[in-house]
Amino acid sequence: MRPLSLVEGEAFIDMIEYACPGFKCPSRWWFTKQLEKAYQRVLDDLKGNLKKRSSKITLTTDAWTSIATEAYLGVTCHYINENWEMVSFVLCTKPLEDRHTGDNIALWIEEVAEKFDFSLHDDVQAIVHDNAANVVKALRILEEKHGVASLRCAGHTTQLIVNHALKEPRINKALGAARSLVTYFHSSEVATLKLKLKQEQMGTPQHKLSQDVPIRWNSSFYMIKRLLEQRWPVTATLSDPEVTKAAKHYLDMRADQWSILGDLRQALEPFEQATVFLSGEAYVTVSVLPPLVKGLQQSMQKAFESAQIATFQTAAAAQIASRWKVETTYDEDGKNVCIFAAALDPRFRKLKFLSTDDILKVKIKLQTLALDARRVRVREEPDSPSGQLDHSRGQKPKSVLDTLLGSDEEEEMEDDDPAHDQREDAVRNEVLLYFGGRAIPKDKNPLQWWKENETKFLSLAVVARSYLAAPATSTPSERLFSAAGTIVSKKRASLTKEHVDMLTFLHSNS
């Protein structure tokens, strides 16, 4: 996180001489070589870990522009290990040299997969991304080409929902008044000092007012929350003639605007709690999205005194139903990661947010997925008949027709193998036993439950590992750029793009 030129600074050299007389500190170029060696070592270790996993991975991706106006594509990787723990890695902060078209983004993601020796078709369950048109197009290309599922960032979708609902004129005007008020206190030293005095006199927490950022709705929520906490010290400060000239009294908000902000804070709170929870990286989040969306819809039915909040609720409920339709309904292709993750989360396995017909379809699809997982496991066992097929009969090249229809040899093996029917019965019983169980409390860890019950559901457990690993948001990529932004500071704006990638990779995977 520090400029390598630090080691050539006079003060640093003096410090080293004082601490260790006679020691000659290596040059920045020596440290650059060590950085490159460390990067290669950690890269090889990470690739080795990816090969050892027993489940599919999920990627998150996002784009970022540095202070040197250089563009990067961040890609992170997530999976569940053999001990049922969430594992996350940063794969790259890839320098981008071309236009950010959908075709180019798809190509860049393919290059990342090639660099880390995994297949988008066989090894990746889903890719989490924002709602930008070029990224959505890239994921459509990858879905058609490799069959990888597309999962839109729940945080970004929430941003679009709330921003749309906040456009109600009187709510927008109240928010504008709140912003002006906070801006005034931030720009006036006299007002800030007087506010501290009023806070002491009234026994109010001595917190500063929070300024919101229009592109992040939750910053508006925190601004409102802080303003409501400090309402009376703020009002008392603005009524002080030493602080506010007669012409500036318009800064204090009207009673109806304070009332709107009070109701708005309550209406926004469910969205804030949902966003904070879904942005987590160390626990399961994607399975929570379908029931959480249902909860958000119900929260929009709460009655408020302000008519403007009712308008907000109606707009938000319509946006929730529209923007989260894909994530909360069963699709015939069976690629809805959120629905299957919820089904494989023992907290939500009753699937109360789906219709009876869709619940049956989900169970049938999961039975198929579990059977496929069992076949793979049996095929990989060296002593199984399937594992010996090529050696016992003499391998011959498959024709294209064999590949499409299944070879005669494989069909004969299945017809003659009584174990095939037993495997189907075993998987069917697994699914019945799993969905017949009671849902565990919502405060329990689903991964711990799977760790304790894996031996009862060997085939379903393989599928659960792949689906439950997906993050509900692309926040991991955004956190990556937070670190990258610290590395590419004004003092380091001349870093090569390759070294930015290496430094971010080493920092994030340390």
Side-chain angles (χ1 to χ4, degrees), residues 294-329:
K294 184 179 179 181
L296 283 175
Q297 287 176 319
Q298 291 172 346
S299 74
M300 291 300 100
Q301 298 171 6
K302 181 181 177 180
F304 287 97
E305 293 182 9
S306 171
Q308 288 72 37
I309 302 303
T311 306
F312 167 87
Q313 290 174 306
T314 302
Q319 285 287 302
I320 290 170
S322 171
R323 292 190 179 276
W324 267 324
K325 183 178 181 180
V326 174
E327 286 79 6
T328 56
T329 54

Side-chain angles (χ1 to χ4, degrees), residues 211-461:
Q211 183 74 65
D212 74 338
V213 180
I215 61 170
R216 292 193 177 274
W217 75 266
N218 51 348
S219 67
S220 299
F221 170 79
Y222 297 133
M223 178 184 72
I224 293 168
K225 192 175 179 181
R226 182 59 54 80
L227 259 181
L228 291 169
E229 175 195 82
Q230 300 294 330
R231 176 179 178 178
W232 301 116
V234 165
T235 303
T237 301
L238 291 174
S239 65
D240 191 322
E242 293 181 16
V243 176
T244 313
K245 295 178 182 178
K248 290 279 188 180
H249 274 295
Y250 69 87
L251 283 168
D252 194 6
M253 294 187 297
R254 301 191 308 270
D256 65 311
Q257 290 178 325
W258 282 107
S259 177
I260 288 174
L261 291 186
D263 286 348
L264 186 60
R265 184 193 69 80
Q266 293 184 55
L268 288 175
E269 197 154 21
F271 290 101
E272 191 269 343
Q273 292 177 354
T275 300
V276 170
F277 180 83
L278 292 174
S279 298
E281 200 172 335
Y283 51 87
V284 176
T285 55
V286 69
S287 61
V288 182
L289 189 56
L292 190 144
V293 168
K294 184 179 179 181
L296 283 175
Q297 287 176 319
Q298 291 172 346
S299 74
M300 291 300 100
Q301 298 171 6
K302 181 181 177 180
F304 287 97
E305 293 182 9
S306 171
Q308 288 72 37
I309 302 303
T311 306
F312 167 87
Q313 290 174 306
T314 302
Q319 285 287 302
I320 290 170
S322 171
R323 292 190 179 276
W324 267 324
K325 183 178 181 180
V326 174
E327 286 79 6
T328 56
T329 54
Y330 177 79
D331 65 315
E332 295 301 327
D333 293 335
K335 290 183 179 179
N336 192 320
V337 176
C338 298
I339 293 294
F340 291 115
L344 292 163
D345 187 326
R347 297 172 297 177
F348 310 114
R349 56 180 152 183
K350 296 303 179 183
L351 300 173
K352 294 180 180 179
F353 49 87
L354 290 180
S355 67
T356 304
D357 287 345
D358 283 346
I359 290 174
L360 180 59
K361 291 175 183 177
V362 169
K363 291 178 180 179
I364 292 171
K365 181 65 178 179
L366 280 179
Q367 183 172 307
T368 303
L369 293 171
L371 186 58
D372 290 343
R374 189 178 180 100
R375 283 173 181 154
V376 171
R377 194 174 76 249
V378 170
R379 196 156 49 238
E380 288 174 349
E381 291 173 0
D383 296 332
S384 70
S386 301
Q388 296 173 354
L389 178 64
D390 294 335
H391 303 291
S392 60
R393 300 199 177 203
Q395 191 173 7
K396 66 177 182 179
K398 277 188 178 183
S399 69
V400 175
L401 192 62
D402 279 342
T403 303
L404 294 173
L405 300 179
S407 68
D408 293 334
E409 287 183 339
E410 288 174 342
E411 286 188 4
E412 285 175 17
M413 286 293 294
E414 286 192 352
D415 292 340
D416 298 340
D417 183 11
H420 174 69
D421 292 336
Q422 293 174 5
R423 286 197 297 271
E424 285 197 351
D425 290 342
V427 169
R428 190 179 300 112
N429 290 335
E430 266 191 42
V431 173
L432 290 172
L433 180 62
Y434 173 76
F435 283 105
R438 296 182 61 181
I440 66 173
K442 292 183 176 60
D443 60 348
K444 297 297 182 183
N445 182 357
L447 298 187
Q448 182 62 34
W449 185 91
W450 274 108
K451 183 178 180 180
E452 294 168 358
N453 293 272
E454 181 176 9
T455 53
K456 295 180 186 176
F457 309 100
L458 288 173
S459 301
L460 269 179

Side-chain angles (χ1 to χ4, degrees), residues 81-323:
N81 66 14
E82 289 297 313
N83 203 35
W84 288 95
E85 297 167 330
M86 299 288 283
V87 179
S88 299
F89 290 121
V90 166
L91 297 184
C92 70
T93 311
K94 184 178 177 60
L96 305 182
E97 306 288 353
D98 211 337
R99 292 177 60 230
H100 303 177
T101 63
D103 294 295
N104 283 340
I105 293 172
L107 177 63
W108 293 330
I109 293 174
E110 288 175 329
E111 288 174 355
V112 173
E114 184 179 358
K115 177 178 179 179
F116 285 87
D117 298 335
F118 61 80
S119 163
L120 287 172
H121 184 274
D122 299 325
D123 299 321
V124 178
Q125 184 69 52
I127 299 178
V128 186
H129 57 92
D130 64 23
N131 291 270
N134 56 345
V135 181
V136 172
K137 181 182 177 183
L139 266 296
R140 196 177 298 121
I141 292 169
L142 294 175
E143 187 172 356
E144 292 173 359
K145 192 173 179 181
H146 303 286
V148 62
S150 164
L151 183 58
R152 294 178 300 170
C153 170
H156 192 251
T157 302
T158 305
Q159 175 79 23
L160 296 173
I161 290 169
V162 176
N163 277 355
H164 179 86
L166 287 175
K167 290 178 180 178
E168 198 282 331
R170 291 188 66 183
I171 290 177
N172 200 26
K173 193 170 182 179
L175 279 173
R179 288 190 192 104
S180 298
L181 188 58
V182 174
T183 301
Y184 174 71
F185 274 90
H186 280 200
S187 61
S188 172
E189 185 179 347
V190 175
T192 301
L193 291 173
K194 185 65 72 170
L195 178 61
K196 287 182 179 179
L197 180 61
K198 297 296 183 184
Q199 288 171 334
E200 289 178 7
Q201 292 173 348
M202 297 182 176
T204 309
Q206 294 190 27
H207 295 152
K208 292 182 178 180
L209 300 183
S210 301
Q211 183 74 65
D212 74 338
V213 180
I215 61 170
R216 292 193 177 274
W217 75 266
N218 51 348
S219 67
S220 299
F221 170 79
Y222 297 133
M223 178 184 72
I224 293 168
K225 192 175 179 181
R226 182 59 54 80
L227 259 181
L228 291 169
E229 175 195 82
Q230 300 294 330
R231 176 179 178 178
W232 301 116
V234 165
T235 303
T237 301
L238 291 174
S239 65
D240 191 322
E242 293 181 16
V243 176
T244 313
K245 295 178 182 178
K248 290 279 188 180
H249 274 295
Y250 69 87
L251 283 168
D252 194 6
M253 294 187 297
R254 301 191 308 270
D256 65 311
Q257 290 178 325
W258 282 107
S259 177
I260 288 174
L261 291 186
D263 286 348
L264 186 60
R265 184 193 69 80
Q266 293 184 55
L268 288 175
E269 197 154 21
F271 290 101
E272 191 269 343
Q273 292 177 354
T275 300
V276 170
F277 180 83
L278 292 174
S279 298
E281 200 172 335
Y283 51 87
V284 176
T285 55
V286 69
S287 61
V288 182
L289 189 56
L292 190 144
V293 168
K294 184 179 179 181
L296 283 175
Q297 287 176 319
Q298 291 172 346
S299 74
M300 291 300 100
Q301 298 171 6
K302 181 181 177 180
F304 287 97
E305 293 182 9
S306 171
Q308 288 72 37
I309 302 303
T311 306
F312 167 87
Q313 290 174 306
T314 302
Q319 285 287 302
I320 290 170
S322 171
R323 292 190 179 276

Side-chain angles (χ1 to χ4, degrees), residues 8-123:
E8 295 179 349
E10 288 185 19
F12 184 84
I13 292 171
D14 288 345
M15 182 191 73
I16 294 296
E17 177 63 29
Y18 178 81
C20 189
F23 176 77
K24 185 174 181 353
C25 189
S27 70
R28 73 170 84 175
W29 309 115
W30 183 87
F31 283 102
T32 298
K33 290 178 181 178
Q34 301 311 306
L35 158 71
E36 292 166 353
K37 289 178 182 178
Y39 172 78
Q40 192 59 50
R41 185 172 64 251
V42 177
L43 176 65
D44 292 340
D45 288 346
L46 195 154
K47 288 164 75 171
N49 285 333
L50 286 176
K51 287 179 180 177
K52 292 175 186 174
R53 64 184 165 69
S54 59
S55 62
K56 291 189 175 183
I57 63 177
T58 294
L59 305 178
T60 76
T61 185
D62 202 356
W64 171 74
T65 303
S66 74
I67 194 171
T69 62
E70 294 173 334
Y72 296 88
L73 181 75
V75 181
T76 67
C77 160
H78 309 264
Y79 66 92
I80 296 171
N81 66 14
E82 289 297 313
N83 203 35
W84 288 95
E85 297 167 330
M86 299 288 283
V87 179
S88 299
F89 290 121
V90 166
L91 297 184
C92 70
T93 311
K94 184 178 177 60
L96 305 182
E97 306 288 353
D98 211 337
R99 292 177 60 230
H100 303 177
T101 63
D103 294 295
N104 283 340
I105 293 172
L107 177 63
W108 293 330
I109 293 174
E110 288 175 329
E111 288 174 355
V112 173
E114 184 179 358
K115 177 178 179 179
F116 285 87
D117 298 335
F118 61 80
S119 163
L120 287 172
H121 184 274
D122 299 325
D123 299 321

